[in-house]
Amino acid sequence: MADLVVARPEGLYCPPGGFFIDPWRPVERAVITHAHGDHARAGHGRYLSSRASTPVMRVRLPGISLTTLEYGETLRHEGVTLSLHPAGHVLGSSQLRIEHRGEVWVASGDYFAAGERDDPREHNRTCTPLEPVACHCFITESTFGLPIYRWAPQDDVFAAIDAWWRDNAGNGRASVLYAYALGKAQRVMAGVDRSIGPIVVHGAVDTVTRAYREAGIALPDTALVTELDDPSLVRRCLVIAPPSAQRSPWLRRFGDMSDAFASGWMQVRGARRRRSVDRGFVLSDHADWPGLLRVIAATGASRVIVTHGFESAMVRWLGEHGYDAGAFATEYGDLDDDAPVAT
Ligand SMILES: [Zn+2]
């Protein structure tokens, strides 16, 4: 049986179906797992993605020729059956299932699963949780594919953010939290205690947040800083801004403030200091090590192909545990909204 997905210079390619998956060079047909910049690039002829991703795809790639599928809906194309299944990473994120002549492969894109057991309390509350999909071969990401990465209960992380915010508000200081504009920012605003003060968002966060609301995701009220008429409110607010806003003139209007960064990379020793922020909160939209292993096991796949992250460590571990394991070199990660924190 020939492989259903191979690596080509343009991206991951399905030979029997004649389409690419999250290609990094322009192609005619692209299936897009989610709207982060390293997976959803401009310049392709036609795009296919999940219906749930439509508002964020339109924000990120205006004017594209986009066909959508509901999760679980099947599409027949050139003798291949395609379907998209929730990945739990950001709004509309999908795993792609490909079936051809009885062989089933699943390409995960980026996905989120925390811990050894599936606990609904740990799901990303701003999108549909991941559903493992049975397959013969699973193509998995490995962004946090090392045993050191184990996420704490998310309510503990949100409680720590609340305590920092409450303390700052009590001292008349704004709390500026850097979080990627697509996914992380919405997860933060959905998780914090909104009674502490107003939530102010940077324009880049506001655009994506509107797309989330359009998709029916319940999020607390947020304001642009220009909409805060009472200056005393600025000293009690939580400001959610993309990392690119750090050291920008836009921040000056908040006066005295404390700043923090929310990312899985905050677990790495020295990351907070390299980012030059007061606090680091370990909050990721990618699977931790036990989550990766749990999802891989749940697919029942005997063959696993590892992409972007700690490929060699993960391939070695999988090989030692009875899997037929290999890797694809990809160009994911460099434009990822959860890319490694630059040193
Ligand atoms: Zn992503």
Side-chain angles (χ1 to χ4, degrees):
M1 180 67 74
D3 288 353
L4 296 190
V5 178
V6 297
R8 283 202 174 171
E10 300 91 337
L12 302 186
Y13 180 68
C14 174
F19 59 84
F20 286 85
I21 305 159
D22 295 347
W24 45 85
R25 291 190 197 164
V27 302
E28 182 48 38
R29 291 173 192 276
V31 179
I32 303 296
T33 61
H34 66 290
H36 276 155
D38 56 334
H39 292 259
R41 302 188 195 226
H44 307 311
R46 281 188 271 179
Y47 293 75
L48 177 74
S49 71
S50 74
R51 191 146 308 154
S53 74
T54 307
V56 282
M57 286 291 286
R58 293 278 180 217
V59 162
R60 287 291 170 100
L61 298 168
I64 60 169
S65 167
L66 177 64
T67 302
T68 61
L69 287 178
E70 294 286 359
Y71 287 135
E73 185 184 355
T74 56
L75 175 73
R76 291 278 298 171
H77 174 75
E78 310 273 346
V80 171
T81 303
L82 311 179
S83 54
L84 298 169
H85 303 268
H89 172 60
V90 296
L91 180 63
S93 63
S94 307
Q95 307 169 78
L96 170 64
R97 181 185 185 276
I98 305 169
E99 182 172 353
H100 180 66
R101 296 181 183 162
E103 178 87 357
V104 178
W105 285 42
V106 170
S108 73
D110 289 340
Y111 65 96
F112 178 68
E116 288 167 15
R117 278 172 293 283
D118 183 26
D119 182 344
R121 288 173 299 183
E122 300 308 325
H123 289 171
N124 179 343
R125 294 157 193 164
T126 56
C127 65
T128 310
L130 174 137
E131 292 171 12
V133 181
C135 55
H136 300 104
C137 179
F138 185 55
I139 302 171
T140 182
E141 66 136 316
S142 64
T143 305
F144 292 104
L146 287 179
I148 56 165
Y149 294 110
R150 292 165 194 270
W151 308 144
Q154 63 176 340
D155 283 338
D156 292 358
V157 179
F158 292 128
I161 295 173
D162 288 343
W164 165 74
W165 179 16
R166 198 175 285 114
D167 182 58
N168 291 330
N171 287 299
R173 266 197 308 262
S175 303
V176 177
L177 183 58
Y178 302 112
Y180 294 103
L182 168 52
K184 190 67 59 64
Q186 292 74 33
R187 222 174 134 205
V188 166
M189 64 181 73
V192 294
D193 177 358
R194 56 199 72 173
S195 72
I196 299 171
I199 300 175
V200 171
V201 290
H202 184 277
V205 172
D206 185 54
T207 305
V208 181
T209 302
R210 287 170 187 273
Y212 266 64
R213 291 198 178 102
E214 189 188 326
I217 306 299
L219 294 171
D221 289 340
T222 55
L224 295 169
V225 65
T226 48
E227 295 167 343
L228 283 187
D229 33 20
D230 178 356
S232 69
L233 287 176
V234 172
R235 295 196 291 273
R236 293 193 61 79
C237 69
L238 174 68
V239 181
I240 304 178
S244 57
Q246 194 178 13
R247 298 185 202 93
S248 73
W250 180 83
L251 281 178
R252 287 191 202 128
R253 65 193 77 198
F254 298 104
D256 187 25
M257 53 130 150
S258 175
D259 61 1
F261 200 91
S263 166
W265 298 109
M266 288 298 121
Q267 189 168 319
V268 180
R269 183 185 289 270
R272 181 194 62 75
R273 185 169 39 77
R274 284 194 293 275
R275 269 279 167 186
S276 303
V277 288
D278 298 326
R279 292 289 300 273
F281 298 107
V282 182
L283 186 69
S284 180
D285 296 334
H286 290 267
D288 62 0
W289 173 255
L292 288 165
L293 300 186
R294 169 164 59 81
V295 171
I296 290 168
T299 66
S302 55
R303 185 173 172 196
V304 179
I305 301 173
V306 183
T307 67
H308 63 301
F310 295 100
E311 294 99 315
S312 55
M314 215 156 153
V315 167
R316 191 177 330 115
W317 190 95
L318 291 167
E320 288 167 1
H321 289 79
Y323 291 92
D324 174 7
F328 279 149
T330 68
E331 295 188 15
Y332 308 136
D334 55 330
L335 295 175
D336 194 331
D337 282 5
D338 206 359
V341 175
T343 54

